[in-house]
Amino acid sequence: MAVLILLAIGIFLPLFPLSMVLTAFFKYVPWAWLRAVIVLVWPQIGLSIAFSTHVQLPQWAAWWGLLTAVLYALRMLSLRDFSTWIAFIAASAFALLWIGLVNANSEAMLRLQGLGFSASFIIAAAVVPMLQSRLGAAYSGLHCGLVQRLPRLAGVLVLAVLAAIATPLFPSFFALIAVLSGASFMAAVGVLVVWLLWSWAGVRLLQGFLPGVWSRAQTPPDLSVGSTWLFGLGLITLVGAATVLSSMGLPGGW
């Protein structure tokens, strides 16, 4: 029974190869709103299973979670499909929660960390259908020069990627700092490597969208001013919520 519970937790707090359930499910879901729901509730389900069953978690699970996070972060470097990129960074981030789970961090703390990661991926998930409707696919390198032709969409895309890769002030940043605060020295080094790989992957992704020469005969309509302000408000709300939570004096900023 304990093995089955561990496998169930390993699906929702992804441990490779069980992590493929999340990435495959996310990849084939056609609706942006459902993708947002997936990244929001997925780690919470894993934490609910872990804390409701009180199963004894082996120490190696934390290291396997860190290895999973590193593997997905490395794989992101060569990804060009934005939707798959989001699924992989979500799997990488959620796997890091094993460090706090094995170290017996409080349930409230871990749920906030999971929520911090999830909230930072929702904006990115919402940008995917906007790219698909205008460019035919949310595929880095397919059509370059986005910043010259569709500047508002390019700006939202940049901010969405910055939120996803745990740039300071976004919720994912404070969640990552919380993970670091509860990790051993060697585990913390691994977490920092994951963070570096996320940043590198984010830069590589944006390089395929923003610079370059526009190759299409026609230019699709940019985001409306209202939609741009709506996304901006959403990002400001995320930053504000993260900042308020970090000021509460909880370990790691949460």
Side-chain angles (χ1 to χ4, degrees):
M1 181 62 70
V3 174
L4 292 178
I5 294 173
L6 188 61
L7 290 174
I9 301 171
I11 290 175
F12 293 100
L13 299 180
L15 291 179
F16 184 83
L18 299 172
S19 52
M20 290 188 287
V21 175
L22 169 60
T23 56
F25 190 45
F26 191 90
K27 181 178 180 180
Y28 292 107
V29 167
W31 305 290
W33 66 268
L34 186 52
R35 289 174 180 165
V37 170
I38 290 172
V39 298
L40 190 63
V41 305
W42 199 269
Q44 303 300 327
I45 295 174
L47 292 172
S48 294
I49 296 172
F51 284 105
S52 63
T53 56
H54 304 288
V55 66
Q56 184 69 32
L57 299 174
Q59 189 65 40
W60 60 259
W63 292 103
W64 197 255
L66 181 57
L67 177 62
T68 300
V70 172
L71 290 175
Y72 275 95
L74 282 170
R75 181 65 180 88
M76 286 167 58
L77 294 174
S78 60
L79 284 178
R80 300 175 68 187
D81 180 77
F82 192 26
S83 180
T84 306
W85 189 93
I86 298 168
F88 275 40
I89 195 173
S92 182
F94 298 158
L96 293 176
L97 296 177
W98 277 97
I99 296 174
L101 190 62
V102 171
N103 291 336
N105 287 6
S106 70
E107 180 177 357
M109 181 73 66
L110 285 170
R111 288 193 181 277
L112 279 175
Q113 291 175 30
L115 185 61
F117 284 128
S118 298
S120 299
F121 303 143
I122 289 177
I123 298 294
V127 172
V128 170
M130 296 182 177
L131 292 170
Q132 291 173 335
S133 64
R134 288 165 174 81
L135 306 180
Y139 203 79
S140 176
L142 182 64
H143 297 291
C144 303
L146 197 67
V147 70
Q148 289 90 8
R149 297 301 182 99
L150 303 172
R152 287 192 289 270
L153 179 58
V156 169
L157 172 62
V158 169
L159 291 174
V161 171
L162 290 177
I165 62 175
T167 303
L169 294 185
F170 287 107
S172 52
F173 168 75
F174 295 106
L176 195 68
I177 295 301
V179 172
L180 280 169
S181 69
S184 65
F185 175 77
M186 290 303 299
V189 171
V191 174
L192 290 174
V193 169
V194 171
W195 194 9
L196 176 63
L197 291 172
W198 287 356
S199 301
W200 187 6
V203 171
R204 288 178 61 87
L205 182 79
L206 291 175
Q207 283 177 337
F209 283 110
L210 303 183
V213 179
W214 186 257
S215 59
R216 300 185 66 176
Q218 296 180 338
T219 300
D222 199 357
L223 282 182
S224 66
V225 175
S227 297
T228 305
W229 276 106
L230 184 61
F231 273 97
L233 181 61
L235 288 165
I236 291 172
T237 302
L238 287 180
V239 171
T243 305
V244 169
L245 287 173
S246 69
S247 67
M248 293 172 60
L250 297 178
W254 279 91

